Structure formats: structure tokens, C-alpha cells
Amino acid sequence: MTNPPPAPEPAAAAEVLTQSPESASPDAQLPGPRQPRPAQRITLRADLRASWPDGLVALLVTAAVFVLLYVRIRNKTSSTVSVMPFMADAGGFWMYFLSQAFGWSALLWAWGTVVLGLLLSGPRPGRLPLSGPRLERLHRTTSLNTIALITAHALLFGAELVRHDTAAWNSALATAFVETFVPGGYDSGTGQIAIPVGQAALYLAIPLGLLFYARHRIGPKTWRVLHRFVIVVYVLSVWHTLLYGTNVWYDGWFRTSVWLLQLPVAALLLVRLLRPARRSERLPVLPGATVSRTGWALRLGGRLAVVGVMVALVVVVAGGSDGGRTAPPDDTSSTHDHD
């Protein structure tokens, strides 16, 4: 009886390749160790086909969030009515609330994508409901759906601007495009900062998410370096939400929950830095031949920075001082108030 082949060492999610079945041949009947299966390159088309169940769930969650936002606006229990009283007309601004719903789903899917990525690139828990390959595919499909949700969020925001603009359609379309997609084009209130932050998240998410499928051209090492900036996309998304999400402008459990969700991300990031799946990324006790003093100091600084972030998150959640406003602004008018 032949011994089974040794289990492969765990690898980062970026480098895992699927296996294709061996073709039948007479040699396959001979005794001896099993030949390794040829690796099959993961393609964007295959992942797009596999992403529809996750995408369907995302749409259902978006629909549920939209209904919740719509009902709260109609009942005047949403902070949005305090921030922008002219939006109390729920039926008149339904497209804006749909854009908000897609934004919340995008943030939730971005959170899940980051959590999955950190689980795959660090020490894996002993018990997971999905196998490694399935977890890796789920990580890729949630990433693709996050890009789709962010794009839908932005497009609906722009469509709302066009719908309420009284200028000619071509002028309204040009204005909405600039305000939605051009940094600095939106010049109203908090949006002067929040909109460019959201645009940065969108413009980073698309190439970083799709570069995975071109890593054989740019090289795995280059791709790994670029892929680490995905955490920047997530931070920008959270920042955009806390700045511009009218539902979380004021202090309260909803805003605190957004902060609370960042604790597991920070904890998993710290574990991933302390015990990365790749041995070459582990921090030695002292700098040596493999790690220069500068590199060692940077790695140590990154780990200490994450510890600092975790402490800050605990203080924010426990203390309730999460940067929310305590009263409606004195001026609730808006240059985008189209009566």
C-alpha cells in the first residue's frame, strides 16, 4: 500500500493555485507514488462565475438595508433628517438612500474580505467551516463583489445628483461626473473631505483587486507588496463612512458599532504580523543576515503601531468618544438641496 503524498505547507492566499484532475493514462494503473497534478491558473472569468451566490447575498443585504433606511427616514427617526432636513421626503430621494444601502453593504463586504485575507495569510484556526481552497475562493469572490458594491454606491450617488439637477441633461451629467468621480469636484460641507476619501478607496480597490489575476505577469513578489495596500482601501472606506455617513454622524450605538467592528480586524492583523504564514516575513529576535537593521526596525514599528491602534479602539469603544457630533449643525442647508 503506497503512502499518501505529504500535505503541502500552508501558503498565502495570493499564491494558492487550483489543481486540475489528471488525464487517464495506462501509467496511472502502475503502483508507485502519485504524480503531482498540474497547476491550473486561476482566472477572473472563473471567479466571476463563482461569485454569483455571494453577490446574491450582497444584493439581499443591500435590499434589507435600503428598507431599513427608507423606513427610518419616513418615520423621521434617522439622523439623516437632522443633517439634511430636505431629505425627509423619502420617496423623493429614494435613489440617494439606495446609494447609501450599497455603501453599507460595500463596507460590510470589505470587512469580510479583509478578515478572510488575514485568516489566510496568518496562522489558521484549528476549526473552520470551510476548507482552505474554498476559503481562498470565497476571499476572491468577496473581493470582486466589494468592488461591484463600491462602484454601484458611487454610480447611484452620481445618478441622484443628475436626477435632482434642473440644468440641461448634458450639463447635469457633466456636473455629477465631476462631483462624484473627480477629487475636489464636490465642494459642499463635509463632502469636501469625505468624497475624495471615498474616491481614493474606489480607485485603489479596483486595481488592487484585479491585479491578482495578472500576478504571473508582474511577479508574485511584486503582487504581494501591492496587495498589502488592500488594508489601506479598507481604512479609507471606514474613514469615508464615519465622515459622510449621515446615519452615523451623531454619537450612539450605530456609530460605536462601526468602531467595534474594527477590533477583530486589528487583532487579526496583529496576529498575522506576529505569526505570518510565510517564514520569510517573521520578525527575528535581532536583525541579522536575512533582515537589515532598517527592515527589522520597520517591521517592529508596524507591529507596535497595530498594538497602538488596538488600544485606541478599545478606549474609543469603552469611553464612547468616537468623534461623533453631539448636536445638529447650525447650518443644515446644502448646495445640493434641489427643491
Side-chain angles (χ1 to χ4, degrees), residues 223-308:
W223 181 85
R224 284 197 300 270
V225 172
L226 292 174
H227 191 64
R228 290 170 184 171
F229 287 93
V230 169
I231 194 70
V232 176
V233 175
Y234 179 70
V235 171
L236 290 172
S237 300
V238 175
W239 188 13
H240 169 75
T241 301
L242 293 173
L243 278 176
Y244 206 58
T246 52
N247 312 100
V248 292
W249 264 34
Y250 303 120
D251 293 330
W253 68 268
F254 201 10
R255 186 178 181 90
T256 302
S257 298
V258 175
W259 284 99
L260 189 62
L261 281 174
Q262 313 319 313
L263 276 172
V265 173
L268 286 171
L269 178 58
L270 181 61
V271 172
R272 185 253 182 270
L273 290 173
L274 293 176
R275 296 177 58 196
R278 292 184 164 277
R279 296 176 182 175
S280 60
E281 295 178 358
R282 295 175 186 175
L283 182 69
V285 178
L286 293 173
T290 57
V291 181
S292 65
R293 289 184 179 274
T294 302
W296 185 86
L298 288 174
R299 291 187 182 185
L300 179 61
R303 287 152 175 78
L304 293 176
V306 175
V307 172

Side-chain angles (χ1 to χ4, degrees), residues 69-331:
L69 295 176
Y70 190 91
V71 170
R72 284 171 57 83
I73 291 291
R74 190 182 59 185
N75 296 337
K76 294 181 172 57
T77 57
S78 171
S79 298
T80 300
V81 179
S82 299
V83 179
M84 295 177 289
F86 61 91
M87 283 195 173
D89 178 11
F93 290 92
W94 66 268
M95 191 175 290
Y96 176 77
F97 304 131
L98 183 59
S99 171
Q100 278 194 322
F102 271 101
W104 282 110
S105 296
L107 183 64
L108 181 60
W109 254 249
W111 182 87
T113 300
V114 170
V115 167
L116 287 171
L118 292 173
L119 283 173
L120 290 166
S121 59
R124 305 216 185 155
R127 295 181 180 178
L128 287 174
L130 296 176
S131 64
R134 290 186 178 180
L135 208 62
E136 287 148 6
R137 169 165 280 192
L138 180 61
H139 174 57
R140 299 195 304 271
T141 58
T142 55
S143 175
L144 292 174
N145 281 314
T146 298
I147 294 173
L149 291 168
I150 295 176
T151 304
H153 169 61
L155 289 174
L156 283 167
F157 180 82
E160 176 71 352
L161 295 178
V162 173
R163 198 167 71 95
H164 285 275
D165 198 328
T166 56
W169 71 267
N170 55 340
S171 175
L173 188 63
T175 300
F177 176 83
V178 170
E179 293 183 341
T180 305
F181 295 105
V182 178
Y186 195 95
D187 59 358
S188 177
T190 309
Q192 296 178 72
I193 298 175
I195 296 295
V197 169
Q199 290 166 342
L202 172 63
Y203 297 148
L204 284 173
I206 294 174
L208 290 177
L210 299 181
L211 272 176
F212 170 81
Y213 303 97
R215 70 195 186 286
H216 61 284
R217 295 183 180 275
I218 63 176
K221 186 176 181 180
T222 301
W223 181 85
R224 284 197 300 270
V225 172
L226 292 174
H227 191 64
R228 290 170 184 171
F229 287 93
V230 169
I231 194 70
V232 176
V233 175
Y234 179 70
V235 171
L236 290 172
S237 300
V238 175
W239 188 13
H240 169 75
T241 301
L242 293 173
L243 278 176
Y244 206 58
T246 52
N247 312 100
V248 292
W249 264 34
Y250 303 120
D251 293 330
W253 68 268
F254 201 10
R255 186 178 181 90
T256 302
S257 298
V258 175
W259 284 99
L260 189 62
L261 281 174
Q262 313 319 313
L263 276 172
V265 173
L268 286 171
L269 178 58
L270 181 61
V271 172
R272 185 253 182 270
L273 290 173
L274 293 176
R275 296 177 58 196
R278 292 184 164 277
R279 296 176 182 175
S280 60
E281 295 178 358
R282 295 175 186 175
L283 182 69
V285 178
L286 293 173
T290 57
V291 181
S292 65
R293 289 184 179 274
T294 302
W296 185 86
L298 288 174
R299 291 187 182 185
L300 179 61
R303 287 152 175 78
L304 293 176
V306 175
V307 172
V309 168
M310 287 191 63
V311 172
L313 287 172
V314 171
V315 171
V316 165
V317 173
S321 301
D322 52 14
R325 297 160 176 81
T326 56
D330 296 331
D331 181 12

